[in-house]
């Protein structure tokens, strides 16, 4: 078990010392994180790679599995061993390895622009398996360019199975998706929405029906449905719920 625990911490990102300059980055940052957590429906937690624990865990229940945020914080990485099945736990260890390998090849000055996203199951307090989407992005690097602290954001996944490993940058139109069968990264372009598609998706996000959207933007319901179908094709999704989740995850709205 301890060997698997240590597998979460790549030798390429092992931090033994933190300098005064590193520490100066973090002044009052947790207050900002706590405020952000209050404004989102997603679960938020902070990993400290130097201490190898969770520094902060929000109160949102999605990620807690019936525990309190303080209990999850105290468990740290042991939370995964208690609430993730063997198959998905091995997947997480794989993601950890390939993620740090990918990160290690990026220019240091560009590293904080990247986010890795993936799906895995957690077992809640009722012993039900729930597929979640997990995003991790660096908050602070040490002077060597290694990840010191990272923010993780957890929400329900729009997908149907574990995996779906994607790395993206806020400064690039290219996303890298990991092919688990071939064990390689594959690059593809982010979906680009037309102004009309963005408008329709935004109105759906506000809770409007197809007929209400059609009336608001002076189109027929059939035309709205046509735009929705094109939207689904671009995103590779099957319904509006998945489309909204995709758009949120990829910052298209």
């Amino acid at each position: 078990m301890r060997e698997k625990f240590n597998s979460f911490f790549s030798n390429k990102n092992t931090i033994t010392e933190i300098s005064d300059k590193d520490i100066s980055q973090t002044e009052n940052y947790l207050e900002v994180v706590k405020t952000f957590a209050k404004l989102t429906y997603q679960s938020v937690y902070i990993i400290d790679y130097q201490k190898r624990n969770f520094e902060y865990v929000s109160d949102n229940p999605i990620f807690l599995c019936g525990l309190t945020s303080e209990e999850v914080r105290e468990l740290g990485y042991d939370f995964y061993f208690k609430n993730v099945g063997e198959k998905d736990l091995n997947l997480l260890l794989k993601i950890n390895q390939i993620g740090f390998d990918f990160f290690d090849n990026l220019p240091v000055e560009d590293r904080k622009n990247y986010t890795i996203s993936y799906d895995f199951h957690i077992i809640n307090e009722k012993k039900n398996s729930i597929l979640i989407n997990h995003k991790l992005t660096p908050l602070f690097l040490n002077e060597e360019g290694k990840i010191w602290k990272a923010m993780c954001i957890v929400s329900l996944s729009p997908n149907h199975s574990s995996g779906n490993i994607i790395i993206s940058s806020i400064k690039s139109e290219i996303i890298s998706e990991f092919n688990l069968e071939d064990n390689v990264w594959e690059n593809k372009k982010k979906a680009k929405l037309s102004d009309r598609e963005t408008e329709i998706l935004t109105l759906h996000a506000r809770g409007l029906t197809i007929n209400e959207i059609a009336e608001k933007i002076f189109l027929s319901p059939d035309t709205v449905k046509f735009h929705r179908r094109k939207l689904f094709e671009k995103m590779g999704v099957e319904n509006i719920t998945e489309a909204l989740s995709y758009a949120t995850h990829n910052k298209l709205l």
Side-chain angles (χ1 to χ4, degrees):
M1 185 71 76
R2 184 51 48 180
E3 182 180 348
K4 281 197 172 184
F5 177 92
N6 289 330
S7 296
F8 276 107
F9 301 93
S10 168
N11 290 333
K12 294 181 179 179
N13 198 69
T14 297
I15 297 177
T16 56
E17 295 182 2
I18 296 297
S19 69
D20 289 341
K21 183 178 179 181
D22 292 332
I23 293 172
S24 69
Q25 302 177 78
T26 66
E27 186 176 359
N28 296 325
Y29 93 96
L30 269 181
E31 295 306 311
V32 177
V33 173
K34 291 175 183 177
T35 300
F36 169 72
K38 292 176 183 177
L39 300 175
T40 178
Y41 68 93
Q42 300 164 313
S43 292
V44 179
Y45 69 103
I46 304 295
I47 295 174
D48 185 322
Y49 284 99
Q50 192 255 335
K51 294 181 178 177
R52 298 191 169 192
N53 64 12
F54 296 169
E55 184 174 16
Y56 167 77
V57 179
S58 71
D59 290 328
N60 187 296
I62 293 175
F63 185 62
L64 300 183
C65 296
L67 302 172
T68 66
S69 58
E70 182 61 24
E71 286 171 333
V72 174
R73 191 187 68 78
E74 289 179 359
L75 280 170
Y77 273 81
D78 285 336
F79 171 83
Y80 297 129
F81 293 95
K82 290 174 66 72
N83 295 284
V84 178
E86 186 71 17
K87 182 178 179 181
D88 276 12
L89 187 61
N90 288 331
L91 173 66
L92 292 183
L93 296 175
K94 172 74 173 180
I95 292 169
N96 195 63
Q97 173 197 336
I98 62 174
F100 278 118
D101 286 346
F102 188 104
F103 183 86
D104 195 53
N105 289 315
L106 295 173
V108 171
E109 65 274 11
D110 204 25
R111 291 179 179 179
K112 287 170 71 174
N113 295 321
Y114 279 81
T115 296
I116 183 168
S117 170
Y118 46 91
D119 298 327
F120 64 96
H121 293 89
I122 55 175
I123 311 300
N124 67 13
E125 69 277 16
K126 297 179 180 178
K127 304 302 180 184
N128 295 324
S129 178
I130 300 173
L131 186 65
I132 61 169
N133 175 260
H134 188 281
K135 287 184 173 61
L136 183 151
T137 192
L139 277 178
F140 301 109
L141 309 179
N142 71 354
E143 289 189 85
E144 297 175 334
K146 296 178 180 179
I147 302 176
W148 174 21
K149 297 177 189 285
M151 176 183 283
C152 301
I153 298 178
V154 178
S155 58
L156 297 178
S157 172
N159 298 306
H160 305 291
S161 59
S162 302
N164 310 302
I165 309 161
I166 294 173
I167 289 181
S168 60
S169 167
I170 58 173
K171 293 189 173 182
S172 175
E173 294 302 313
I174 301 298
I175 63 174
S176 298
E177 185 170 355
F178 193 77
N179 185 320
L180 284 165
E181 289 187 4
D182 297 333
N183 209 40
V184 294
W185 289 101
E186 298 172 343
N187 292 335
K188 58 177 67 175
K189 284 191 175 182
K190 293 178 182 176
K192 277 195 171 183
L193 306 184
S194 68
D195 290 343
R196 181 64 81 191
E197 289 167 343
T198 300
E199 184 178 34
I200 290 172
L201 199 57
T202 300
L203 292 172
H204 268 298
R206 288 169 51 186
L208 274 65
T209 65
I210 289 177
N211 288 340
E212 290 170 335
I213 292 171
E215 182 177 349
K216 193 169 187 66
I217 60 178
F218 306 106
L219 295 176
S220 71
D222 284 343
T223 302
V224 172
K225 291 176 183 178
F226 169 79
H227 285 298
R228 284 197 350 159
R229 284 196 301 272
K230 301 301 289 184
L231 183 66
F232 294 168
E233 289 173 10
K234 281 185 180 181
M235 294 180 171
V237 301
E238 297 179 359
N239 55 56
I240 193 62
T241 300
E242 292 181 2
L244 287 169
S245 181
Y246 180 99
T248 301
H249 290 164
N250 291 280
K251 300 179 175 64
L252 298 179
L253 290 180

